[in-house]
Structures are given as structure tokens and as C-alpha cells.
Amino acid sequence: MRLRMNSSQVSYLTLSAYFETGPFKYLFFMILTLLYILILCANVSLIVIICMNRSLHEPMYLFLCSLFVNELYGSTGLFPFLLLQILSDIHTVSVPFCFLQIFCLHMYLTVQFLNLVIMSYDRYLAICYPLQYNTRMTTKRVAMLIVVTWLFSFLAIVVLTSLSFSLQLCGNIIDKVFCLNYSIVKLACSDTSVNNIYGLIFTAIAIIIPLSSIFYTYIKIINVCFSGSKQTRQKAVSTCTPQLISLLNFSLGVCVEFLQNRFDMSSVPKMLRSFLSLYFLTFPPLFNPVLYGLKMSKIRNIYARPVL
């Protein structure tokens, strides 16, 4: 008979996906530290550029600023924890800290998708309704969209983590290198019907509906591009390409993580599993600032200015 415990009665959780690296743990530590520093520098520099240059105080760049802030938030919820675990010989985490990480990482995921939705909506208005753009996408509406994105994500994840925290657990071993909500739910031996129902609703609202909205807006944009002028096509390509690449990159990482959680991956080497799990948390925050910095002409021109 398995022992039933409320999550609040479990003192720690064991992360079993870590593998013995011996002296190479210091190499991994240095690589991840460098990666984290690059993410911090890239995102902070673009946030500062957008905030300090009045020419970039436009809806598209303000939404980008929100995206970069979220990437800093998500990276900080992961990297310091990873660095401590790599140097540790015992890979355990306290339950409160595990739920704090669950909250941070799931909120990062939700804000990221919703940010991409409002960015695609912004491009849809700019390209399909250029004459009405300034009246539809006002400063007040931009602020409202950003606040709603973060507030909705905060409230949704508060409910998600609260439901998981109340579960009775029959173990304390998580087959991951960090904490995710589904890993806790899999440990439960109490009824998880409410968690599953809320999980489906959350997935629909935070992922499926946003992706459907993005798909719809870009179909409309493509239709306008084919029927519009060369200038309209150039504008669409220059501003929409980074968003599409960013969306595909992030969605790929989330899809891989979803498949890993739902299927037996025991035959896959631990190192590869860990790398795939970290993809959606590490590559978008590093890749997006570089992508937008290179592709967005206004940002690129500011970078190119000579320093006096």
C-alpha cells in the first residue's frame, strides 16, 4: 500500500533526471552561466534601447519590450536553480521552492504565448487596416493589452498551482531537471479530475486559442500581401518574419516538452531528454533578442550608430 501525503507534508522532492558528470559538472556550470549572462545582456540591452529611444515608443516595440521582460523573468526562474543543482551532489528541492518554480515557469509560458498573440494582432491591424491603425491601437489600448496579458497569466497560474498543492502525493521523485506542474500531478494518488479539467481549460485558453488567433491573423495578412502593393509586402515581410520565426521556435520547444510529459521517454538518453526539456526555456530568450535586433530596421540602426 502506497503512502498518501498532502504536498504540504512532503519536505522535499528529488529530481531524478540529473546524471553523474564527474569533473565535467564545472564545464556545464560555466556553459550555463555564460548562456544566462548572454540572455540577460541581450534582453536587458533591447529593453533599455526601446525605453530610452522615443522613436521606438510605438505599439510594436512596446509589445516587444513586454516579451523581453518575460524572457528575463522565465530565465531567472530557471537558471539560478539549474546552476545550484549542477554543483550539488544531491538533486533535491524543497516543496515550496518547487511550487515557486512551477509558478514562474508556467507564467512565463502563458505570457509568452499571449504576447505573441497581441503582437500578431498589432501586425494584423497595421497591415490590413493601416488607415485605422492609430485610432485602434492607441497608447491606452497598448497598456491595457499588456496589463491583461500579465494579470490573466498571474491569476490563471495561481489557480493551477493551488490545485496541485492540495493533491495527496504517493511519492517525491520527479523525472525532470526542474519542476513542472504535470510532474506533481503524476505523483498524485488522490483524485485529479479537477486538475485535469482545469488543465484542459487552461491549455485551450493559454495555448490553443492563442495559436488559432495567430494563425487567423497571419492568413489575413498573407491575403492582403498577395493582393496589395510591393510596399505592403515588404512591410509585412520585415515586421512579420521575426514574429513567425519566434512563434515557431517557441511552439516547437513547448510541443517537445508536452510530448515528453505524455509519452514514455525512458529509452531516450538522459542528457538528450534534459536538453529537449530546457529548449523552450533557454533558446527563445537567447534567440529572440538577436532575431529582432537583426531583423527590425529601427533597432538595427540604433545599434549601428557610432558611439561618440
Side-chain angles (χ1 to χ4, degrees):
M1 184 175 178
R2 294 194 298 176
L3 178 65
R4 286 173 162 242
M5 305 169 282
N6 186 280
S7 61
S8 61
Q9 297 173 310
V10 180
S11 58
Y12 67 90
L13 296 164
T14 300
L15 303 166
S16 64
Y18 286 93
F19 49 91
E20 183 59 42
T21 56
F24 289 103
K25 70 180 180 180
Y26 299 105
L27 176 62
F28 285 121
F29 178 85
M30 290 176 62
I31 291 172
L32 284 176
T33 301
L34 178 61
L35 187 60
Y36 184 42
I37 291 171
L38 288 173
I39 289 172
L40 290 178
C41 292
N43 285 278
V44 169
S45 64
L46 283 176
I47 291 169
V48 170
I49 284 173
I50 291 171
C51 292
M52 297 296 290
N53 288 272
R54 296 185 65 85
S55 63
L56 298 181
H57 292 181
E58 300 174 7
M60 178 171 60
Y61 298 103
L62 296 177
F63 294 140
L64 273 178
C65 193
S66 175
L67 187 79
F68 298 143
V69 169
N70 184 52
E71 289 172 348
L72 285 176
Y73 168 77
S75 300
T76 303
L78 173 71
F79 276 92
F81 174 80
L82 275 183
L83 294 173
L84 288 173
Q85 289 294 328
I86 286 173
L87 292 179
S88 176
D89 294 324
I90 302 173
H91 305 294
T92 60
V93 57
S94 67
V95 170
F97 191 87
C98 185
F99 275 92
L100 176 62
Q101 187 174 58
I102 288 170
F103 178 86
C104 291
L105 298 186
H106 282 266
M107 185 169 169
Y108 157 76
L109 185 150
T110 310
V111 171
Q112 194 80 350
F113 267 122
L114 294 181
N115 254 319
L116 291 169
V117 169
I118 59 177
M119 289 167 67
S120 68
Y121 174 67
D122 173 71
R123 291 301 84 205
Y124 166 72
L125 290 181
I127 293 167
C128 299
Y129 301 96
L131 299 179
Q132 303 172 35
Y133 178 75
N134 289 331
T135 56
R136 288 194 180 191
M137 193 58 72
T138 61
T139 303
K140 184 177 180 180
R141 177 163 292 184
V142 170
M144 183 195 70
L145 287 171
I146 292 173
V147 169
V148 168
T149 293
W150 284 84
L151 183 60
F152 168 81
S153 301
F154 175 82
L155 295 175
I157 304 306
V158 164
V159 175
L160 186 77
T161 51
S162 298
L163 288 172
S164 296
F165 193 78
S166 64
L167 290 173
Q168 290 179 320
L169 305 181
C170 293
N172 67 339
I173 298 175
I174 297 175
D175 189 25
K176 304 290 289 184
V177 294
F178 53 87
C179 296
L180 283 179
N181 185 66
Y182 189 70
S183 302
I184 298 294
V185 174
K186 285 199 294 186
L187 294 177
C189 48
S190 57
D191 185 19
T192 59
S193 299
V194 176
N195 300 73
N196 293 332
I197 292 170
Y198 184 79
L200 290 172
I201 295 171
F202 172 78
T203 301
I205 294 174
I207 298 176
I208 296 174
I209 293 176
L211 285 176
S212 301
S213 301
I214 293 170
F215 180 76
Y216 172 81
T217 55
Y218 278 106
I219 289 293
K220 289 291 186 180
I221 289 170
I222 290 170
N223 286 336
V224 170
C225 289
F226 276 115
S227 60
S229 63
K230 182 180 179 181
Q231 184 180 3
T232 302
R233 287 194 294 272
Q234 288 175 341
K235 180 181 178 181
V237 169
S238 64
T239 60
C240 295
T241 301
Q243 291 182 19
L244 281 173
I245 296 173
S246 176
L247 173 66
L248 290 173
N249 184 40
F250 184 68
S251 299
L252 174 64
V254 172
C255 182
V256 168
E257 180 59 25
F258 178 85
L259 292 175
Q260 281 202 88
N261 285 333
R262 265 61 182 182
F263 296 98
D264 182 16
M265 302 290 287
S266 57
S267 59
V268 179
K270 276 190 175 182
M271 183 178 235
L272 180 58
R273 272 188 286 157
S274 299
F275 173 81
L276 293 174
S277 289
L278 293 170
Y279 185 92
F280 83 101
L281 293 164
T282 55
F283 279 81
L286 181 64
F287 181 71
N288 286 343
V290 176
L291 175 67
Y292 286 105
L294 291 175
K295 287 290 186 180
M296 307 295 277
S297 59
K298 281 191 175 182
I299 296 177
R300 190 173 64 247
N301 292 338
I302 290 171
Y303 265 120
R305 286 178 189 171
V307 180
L308 299 177

